[in-house]
Short mmCIF file of all heavy atoms in Angstrom, two decimals:
data_model
loop_
_atom_site.label_atom_id
_atom_site.label_comp_id
_atom_site.label_asym_id
_atom_site.label_seq_id
_atom_site.Cartn_x
_atom_site.Cartn_y
_atom_site.Cartn_z
N ALA Y 1 73.94 92.09 105.71
CA ALA Y 1 73.43 90.74 105.69
C ALA Y 1 74.23 89.77 106.57
O ALA Y 1 73.67 88.90 107.22
CB ALA Y 1 73.44 90.22 104.26
N LEU Y 2 75.52 89.99 106.58
CA LEU Y 2 76.35 89.17 107.48
C LEU Y 2 75.99 89.41 108.95
O LEU Y 2 75.94 88.46 109.72
CB LEU Y 2 77.85 89.43 107.23
CG LEU Y 2 78.46 88.81 105.98
CD1 LEU Y 2 79.88 89.30 105.83
CD2 LEU Y 2 78.40 87.29 106.03
N ARG Y 3 75.78 90.63 109.32
CA ARG Y 3 75.43 90.90 110.72
C ARG Y 3 74.13 90.22 111.09
O ARG Y 3 73.95 89.72 112.20
CB ARG Y 3 75.40 92.41 110.96
CG ARG Y 3 76.77 93.05 111.26
CD ARG Y 3 76.63 94.45 111.76
NE ARG Y 3 76.23 95.35 110.69
CZ ARG Y 3 77.09 96.05 109.96
NH1 ARG Y 3 78.40 95.92 110.18
NH2 ARG Y 3 76.68 96.89 109.01
N LYS Y 4 73.17 90.23 110.17
CA LYS Y 4 71.89 89.56 110.43
C LYS Y 4 72.10 88.08 110.56
O LYS Y 4 71.46 87.40 111.39
CB LYS Y 4 70.91 89.88 109.31
CG LYS Y 4 70.37 91.30 109.34
CD LYS Y 4 69.33 91.47 108.18
CE LYS Y 4 68.80 92.89 108.22
NZ LYS Y 4 67.81 93.13 107.12
N ALA Y 5 72.98 87.51 109.76
CA ALA Y 5 73.27 86.06 109.82
C ALA Y 5 73.89 85.67 111.14
O ALA Y 5 73.79 84.51 111.52
CB ALA Y 5 74.14 85.67 108.64
N PHE Y 6 74.56 86.61 111.78
CA PHE Y 6 75.22 86.33 113.06
C PHE Y 6 74.62 87.17 114.16
O PHE Y 6 75.32 87.72 114.98
CB PHE Y 6 76.73 86.57 112.92
CG PHE Y 6 77.42 85.64 111.97
CD1 PHE Y 6 77.58 85.99 110.62
CD2 PHE Y 6 77.86 84.40 112.39
CE1 PHE Y 6 78.17 85.10 109.73
CE2 PHE Y 6 78.47 83.51 111.52
CZ PHE Y 6 78.62 83.90 110.19
N ALA Y 7 73.28 87.21 114.18
CA ALA Y 7 72.57 88.02 115.15
C ALA Y 7 72.77 87.56 116.55
O ALA Y 7 72.48 88.30 117.53
CB ALA Y 7 71.07 88.02 114.79
N HIS Y 8 73.26 86.27 116.75
CA HIS Y 8 73.51 85.77 118.10
C HIS Y 8 74.71 86.45 118.72
O HIS Y 8 75.03 86.22 119.89
CB HIS Y 8 73.65 84.26 118.08
CG HIS Y 8 74.84 83.78 117.33
ND1 HIS Y 8 74.94 83.81 115.92
CD2 HIS Y 8 76.03 83.25 117.73
CE1 HIS Y 8 76.09 83.32 115.55
NE2 HIS Y 8 76.77 82.94 116.61
N ILE Y 9 75.42 87.23 117.94
CA ILE Y 9 76.56 88.03 118.43
C ILE Y 9 76.20 89.51 118.25
O ILE Y 9 76.59 90.13 117.26
CB ILE Y 9 77.87 87.68 117.72
CG1 ILE Y 9 78.10 86.16 117.79
CG2 ILE Y 9 79.05 88.43 118.35
CD1 ILE Y 9 79.34 85.69 117.03
N PRO Y 10 75.43 90.09 119.17
CA PRO Y 10 74.92 91.42 118.94
C PRO Y 10 76.05 92.49 118.87
O PRO Y 10 75.82 93.57 118.25
CB PRO Y 10 74.00 91.70 120.14
CG PRO Y 10 74.46 90.70 121.16
CD PRO Y 10 74.98 89.53 120.42
N ASN Y 11 77.15 92.23 119.55
CA ASN Y 11 78.24 93.19 119.56
C ASN Y 11 79.28 92.84 118.48
O ASN Y 11 80.47 92.63 118.79
CB ASN Y 11 78.88 93.27 120.97
CG ASN Y 11 77.91 93.76 122.00
OD1 ASN Y 11 77.26 94.77 121.83
ND2 ASN Y 11 77.80 93.04 123.09
N LEU Y 12 78.84 92.77 117.27
CA LEU Y 12 79.71 92.41 116.16
C LEU Y 12 79.86 93.62 115.20
O LEU Y 12 78.90 94.12 114.70
CB LEU Y 12 79.14 91.23 115.38
CG LEU Y 12 79.83 90.84 114.06
CD1 LEU Y 12 81.31 90.45 114.36
CD2 LEU Y 12 79.08 89.70 113.37
N GLU Y 13 81.08 94.03 115.02
CA GLU Y 13 81.42 95.16 114.13
C GLU Y 13 82.24 94.60 112.96
O GLU Y 13 83.27 93.96 113.18
CB GLU Y 13 82.20 96.23 114.86
CG GLU Y 13 82.67 97.36 113.98
CD GLU Y 13 83.55 98.35 114.70
OE1 GLU Y 13 83.63 98.33 115.95
OE2 GLU Y 13 84.25 99.13 114.04
N LEU Y 14 81.74 94.84 111.73
CA LEU Y 14 82.45 94.35 110.57
C LEU Y 14 82.96 95.50 109.78
O LEU Y 14 82.26 96.50 109.50
CB LEU Y 14 81.51 93.55 109.68
CG LEU Y 14 80.90 92.26 110.28
CD1 LEU Y 14 79.90 91.61 109.37
CD2 LEU Y 14 82.00 91.27 110.65
N ARG Y 15 84.24 95.41 109.40
CA ARG Y 15 84.89 96.43 108.56
C ARG Y 15 85.32 95.84 107.26
O ARG Y 15 86.16 94.89 107.23
CB ARG Y 15 86.07 97.09 109.32
CG ARG Y 15 85.72 97.67 110.65
CD ARG Y 15 86.81 98.57 111.20
NE ARG Y 15 88.01 97.79 111.52
CZ ARG Y 15 89.14 98.31 112.01
NH1 ARG Y 15 89.20 99.62 112.30
NH2 ARG Y 15 90.20 97.55 112.23
N ASP Y 16 84.78 96.30 106.16
CA ASP Y 16 85.03 95.76 104.87
C ASP Y 16 86.27 96.39 104.26
O ASP Y 16 86.24 97.55 103.87
CB ASP Y 16 83.80 95.95 103.96
CG ASP Y 16 83.99 95.29 102.58
OD1 ASP Y 16 85.01 94.55 102.42
OD2 ASP Y 16 83.14 95.49 101.71
N ARG Y 17 87.32 95.59 104.13
CA ARG Y 17 88.57 96.06 103.49
C ARG Y 17 88.87 95.14 102.31
O ARG Y 17 90.03 95.04 101.95
CB ARG Y 17 89.70 96.07 104.56
CG ARG Y 17 89.52 97.00 105.73
CD ARG Y 17 89.52 98.48 105.35
NE ARG Y 17 89.47 99.31 106.51
CZ ARG Y 17 88.34 99.76 107.08
NH1 ARG Y 17 87.15 99.37 106.56
NH2 ARG Y 17 88.37 100.52 108.14
N THR Y 18 87.87 94.48 101.78
CA THR Y 18 88.10 93.60 100.69
C THR Y 18 88.32 94.38 99.38
O THR Y 18 87.97 95.59 99.32
CB THR Y 18 86.94 92.63 100.48
OG1 THR Y 18 85.73 93.39 100.22
CG2 THR Y 18 86.74 91.73 101.70
N VAL Y 19 88.88 93.74 98.39
CA VAL Y 19 89.14 94.37 97.10
C VAL Y 19 88.45 93.52 96.02
O VAL Y 19 88.48 92.29 96.06
CB VAL Y 19 90.68 94.40 96.84
CG1 VAL Y 19 90.99 95.01 95.47
CG2 VAL Y 19 91.38 95.20 97.92
N PRO Y 20 87.84 94.17 95.03
CA PRO Y 20 87.18 93.41 93.96
C PRO Y 20 88.19 92.48 93.27
O PRO Y 20 89.30 92.80 93.06
CB PRO Y 20 86.70 94.49 92.99
CG PRO Y 20 86.52 95.71 93.85
CD PRO Y 20 87.63 95.63 94.89
N GLU Y 21 87.67 91.30 92.86
CA GLU Y 21 88.49 90.26 92.30
C GLU Y 21 89.20 90.80 91.04
O GLU Y 21 90.33 90.40 90.77
CB GLU Y 21 87.62 89.06 91.95
CG GLU Y 21 88.38 87.85 91.48
CD GLU Y 21 88.98 87.02 92.62
OE1 GLU Y 21 88.48 87.13 93.75
OE2 GLU Y 21 89.96 86.31 92.34
N THR Y 22 88.56 91.60 90.23
CA THR Y 22 89.14 92.05 88.97
C THR Y 22 90.44 92.82 89.23
O THR Y 22 91.27 92.94 88.32
CB THR Y 22 88.17 92.94 88.20
OG1 THR Y 22 87.73 94.01 89.07
CG2 THR Y 22 86.92 92.10 87.75
N ASP Y 23 90.62 93.39 90.39
CA ASP Y 23 91.81 94.18 90.65
C ASP Y 23 93.06 93.34 90.74
O ASP Y 23 94.16 93.87 90.72
CB ASP Y 23 91.64 94.97 91.99
CG ASP Y 23 90.75 96.18 91.81
OD1 ASP Y 23 90.26 96.37 90.70
OD2 ASP Y 23 90.54 96.89 92.79
N ILE Y 24 92.92 92.02 90.78
CA ILE Y 24 94.09 91.18 90.81
C ILE Y 24 94.93 91.40 89.58
O ILE Y 24 96.17 91.45 89.63
CB ILE Y 24 93.68 89.67 90.85
CG1 ILE Y 24 93.05 89.34 92.21
CG2 ILE Y 24 94.91 88.77 90.62
CD1 ILE Y 24 92.54 87.93 92.26
N TRP Y 25 94.29 91.60 88.46
CA TRP Y 25 95.02 91.73 87.18
C TRP Y 25 95.16 93.15 86.71
O TRP Y 25 95.49 93.45 85.58
CB TRP Y 25 94.27 90.96 86.10
CG TRP Y 25 93.89 89.55 86.52
CD1 TRP Y 25 92.69 89.08 86.89
CD2 TRP Y 25 94.80 88.44 86.62
NE1 TRP Y 25 92.76 87.71 87.22
CE2 TRP Y 25 94.03 87.33 87.08
CE3 TRP Y 25 96.20 88.29 86.41
CZ2 TRP Y 25 94.63 86.08 87.29
CZ3 TRP Y 25 96.73 87.02 86.62
CH2 TRP Y 25 95.95 85.95 87.07
N SER Y 26 94.93 94.11 87.63
CA SER Y 26 94.85 95.53 87.25
C SER Y 26 96.21 96.09 86.75
O SER Y 26 96.26 97.06 85.99
CB SER Y 26 94.35 96.39 88.40
OG SER Y 26 95.20 96.28 89.52
N HIS Y 27 97.31 95.48 87.21
CA HIS Y 27 98.66 95.97 86.83
C HIS Y 27 99.31 95.10 85.71
O HIS Y 27 100.47 95.24 85.42
CB HIS Y 27 99.58 95.99 88.03
CG HIS Y 27 99.14 96.97 89.12
ND1 HIS Y 27 98.04 96.75 89.87
CD2 HIS Y 27 99.67 98.19 89.47
CE1 HIS Y 27 97.91 97.76 90.71
NE2 HIS Y 27 98.86 98.63 90.47
N MET Y 28 98.48 94.23 85.07
CA MET Y 28 99.03 93.26 84.16
C MET Y 28 99.64 93.91 82.92
O MET Y 28 100.58 93.38 82.31
CB MET Y 28 97.88 92.29 83.72
CG MET Y 28 98.34 91.15 82.87
SD MET Y 28 96.98 89.98 82.59
CE MET Y 28 95.79 91.01 81.68
N ASP Y 29 99.11 95.12 82.53
CA ASP Y 29 99.60 95.74 81.31
C ASP Y 29 100.73 96.71 81.55
O ASP Y 29 101.23 97.38 80.63
CB ASP Y 29 98.45 96.51 80.64
CG ASP Y 29 97.37 95.58 80.17
OD1 ASP Y 29 97.68 94.40 79.80
OD2 ASP Y 29 96.17 95.99 80.16
N GLN Y 30 101.21 96.81 82.78
CA GLN Y 30 102.33 97.72 83.10
C GLN Y 30 103.64 97.16 82.59
O GLN Y 30 103.84 95.93 82.54
CB GLN Y 30 102.40 97.96 84.60
CG GLN Y 30 101.28 98.77 85.19
CD GLN Y 30 101.51 99.07 86.63
OE1 GLN Y 30 102.44 98.60 87.24
NE2 GLN Y 30 100.59 99.87 87.22
N ASP Y 31 104.52 98.05 82.15
CA ASP Y 31 105.86 97.68 81.69
C ASP Y 31 106.76 97.56 82.91
O ASP Y 31 107.57 98.49 83.16
CB ASP Y 31 106.37 98.67 80.65
CG ASP Y 31 107.68 98.25 80.06
OD1 ASP Y 31 108.05 97.04 80.22
OD2 ASP Y 31 108.37 99.08 79.44
N SER Y 32 106.61 96.53 83.70
CA SER Y 32 107.40 96.35 84.91
C SER Y 32 107.50 94.87 85.23
O SER Y 32 106.81 94.04 84.61
CB SER Y 32 106.69 97.10 86.10
OG SER Y 32 105.42 96.50 86.34
N LEU Y 33 108.35 94.56 86.22
CA LEU Y 33 108.43 93.13 86.63
C LEU Y 33 107.11 92.64 87.20
O LEU Y 33 106.72 91.50 86.95
CB LEU Y 33 109.49 92.99 87.72
CG LEU Y 33 110.98 93.10 87.22
CD1 LEU Y 33 111.93 93.06 88.44
CD2 LEU Y 33 111.29 91.94 86.26
N GLU Y 34 106.39 93.52 87.88
CA GLU Y 34 105.07 93.14 88.43
C GLU Y 34 104.11 92.87 87.31
O GLU Y 34 103.39 91.83 87.28
CB GLU Y 34 104.53 94.30 89.27
CG GLU Y 34 103.17 93.98 89.90
CD GLU Y 34 102.67 95.14 90.77
OE1 GLU Y 34 103.52 95.88 91.37
OE2 GLU Y 34 101.46 95.31 90.86
N GLY Y 35 104.08 93.73 86.27
CA GLY Y 35 103.21 93.54 85.15
C GLY Y 35 103.54 92.22 84.42
O GLY Y 35 102.67 91.47 84.00
N MET Y 36 104.88 91.99 84.21
CA MET Y 36 105.29 90.75 83.50
C MET Y 36 104.88 89.50 84.29
O MET Y 36 104.39 88.52 83.70
CB MET Y 36 106.81 90.77 83.35
CG MET Y 36 107.40 89.58 82.58
SD MET Y 36 109.18 89.58 82.54
CE MET Y 36 109.44 91.13 81.62
N TYR Y 37 105.01 89.57 85.60
CA TYR Y 37 104.67 88.42 86.47
C TYR Y 37 103.20 88.06 86.29
O TYR Y 37 102.82 86.91 86.06
CB TYR Y 37 105.00 88.79 87.92
CG TYR Y 37 104.49 87.75 88.93
CD1 TYR Y 37 105.11 86.57 89.10
CD2 TYR Y 37 103.34 88.06 89.69
CE1 TYR Y 37 104.66 85.64 90.03
CE2 TYR Y 37 102.88 87.12 90.62
CZ TYR Y 37 103.53 85.95 90.79
OH TYR Y 37 103.09 85.01 91.72
N PHE Y 38 102.34 89.10 86.37
CA PHE Y 38 100.88 88.81 86.25
C PHE Y 38 100.47 88.45 84.84
O PHE Y 38 99.53 87.65 84.65
CB PHE Y 38 100.09 90.02 86.75
CG PHE Y 38 100.02 90.12 88.27
CD1 PHE Y 38 100.86 90.90 88.96
CD2 PHE Y 38 99.13 89.29 88.95
CE1 PHE Y 38 100.80 90.96 90.35
CE2 PHE Y 38 99.04 89.35 90.33
CZ PHE Y 38 99.89 90.17 91.07
N ARG Y 39 101.18 88.93 83.80
CA ARG Y 39 100.92 88.53 82.42
C ARG Y 39 101.20 87.05 82.24
O ARG Y 39 100.41 86.30 81.62
CB ARG Y 39 101.73 89.37 81.44
CG ARG Y 39 101.16 90.74 81.20
CD ARG Y 39 101.73 91.36 79.92
NE ARG Y 39 103.21 91.54 80.00
CZ ARG Y 39 103.79 92.57 80.55
NH1 ARG Y 39 103.07 93.52 81.12
NH2 ARG Y 39 105.10 92.68 80.51
N ILE Y 40 102.33 86.60 82.84
CA ILE Y 40 102.71 85.17 82.70
C ILE Y 40 101.65 84.29 83.36
O ILE Y 40 101.24 83.26 82.83
CB ILE Y 40 104.09 84.94 83.30
CG1 ILE Y 40 105.19 85.63 82.49
CG2 ILE Y 40 104.36 83.42 83.43
CD1 ILE Y 40 106.54 85.63 83.13
N LEU Y 41 101.18 84.70 84.57
CA LEU Y 41 100.18 83.96 85.25
C LEU Y 41 98.88 83.93 84.45
O LEU Y 41 98.19 82.86 84.31
CB LEU Y 41 99.86 84.54 86.63
CG LEU Y 41 100.97 84.30 87.71
CD1 LEU Y 41 100.57 84.98 88.99
CD2 LEU Y 41 101.23 82.84 87.93
N HIS Y 42 98.48 85.09 83.93
CA HIS Y 42 97.23 85.19 83.18
C HIS Y 42 97.26 84.33 81.91
O HIS Y 42 96.29 83.64 81.55
CB HIS Y 42 96.92 86.63 82.86
CG HIS Y 42 95.48 86.88 82.53
ND1 HIS Y 42 95.00 86.76 81.21
CD2 HIS Y 42 94.43 87.22 83.30
CE1 HIS Y 42 93.69 87.04 81.22
NE2 HIS Y 42 93.34 87.30 82.48
N GLU Y 43 98.40 84.38 81.17
CA GLU Y 43 98.57 83.58 80.00
C GLU Y 43 98.51 82.08 80.30
O GLU Y 43 97.91 81.28 79.56
CB GLU Y 43 99.85 83.93 79.30
CG GLU Y 43 99.86 85.32 78.65
CD GLU Y 43 101.24 85.71 78.18
OE1 GLU Y 43 102.18 84.88 78.26
OE2 GLU Y 43 101.41 86.85 77.70
N ALA Y 44 99.14 81.72 81.43
CA ALA Y 44 99.10 80.28 81.80
C ALA Y 44 97.68 79.83 82.14
O ALA Y 44 97.28 78.73 81.81
CB ALA Y 44 99.99 80.07 83.06
N MET Y 45 96.90 80.74 82.75
CA MET Y 45 95.50 80.41 83.09
C MET Y 45 94.67 80.28 81.81
O MET Y 45 93.78 79.43 81.71
CB MET Y 45 94.93 81.50 84.02
CG MET Y 45 93.58 81.14 84.65
SD MET Y 45 93.12 82.31 85.92
CE MET Y 45 92.96 83.81 84.95
#
């Protein structure tokens, strides 16, 4: 759909390397500094 929206640039190559939004909190339950950090953010939110 994006390529169609930008059809005025026929030589456009798009590579999707995005990550689903839910993956932001995927490590929240881990017993680690990373898990603790995201738990604190999630609780604050």
Side-chain angles (χ1 to χ4, degrees):
L2 282 176
R3 277 192 286 268
K4 288 182 179 179
F6 294 93
H8 64 288
I9 306 176
N11 297 311
L12 173 61
E13 176 186 345
L14 298 176
R15 302 193 297 181
D16 184 7
R17 300 292 187 271
T18 60
V19 178
E21 187 80 23
T22 54
D23 284 1
I24 292 177
W25 311 105
S26 60
H27 295 71
M28 187 173 63
D29 296 329
Q30 289 184 358
D31 185 15
S32 64
L33 286 175
E34 181 180 330
M36 182 185 298
Y37 171 76
F38 281 98
R39 281 196 300 276
I40 292 171
L41 288 179
H42 199 272
E43 289 171 4
M45 190 170 64

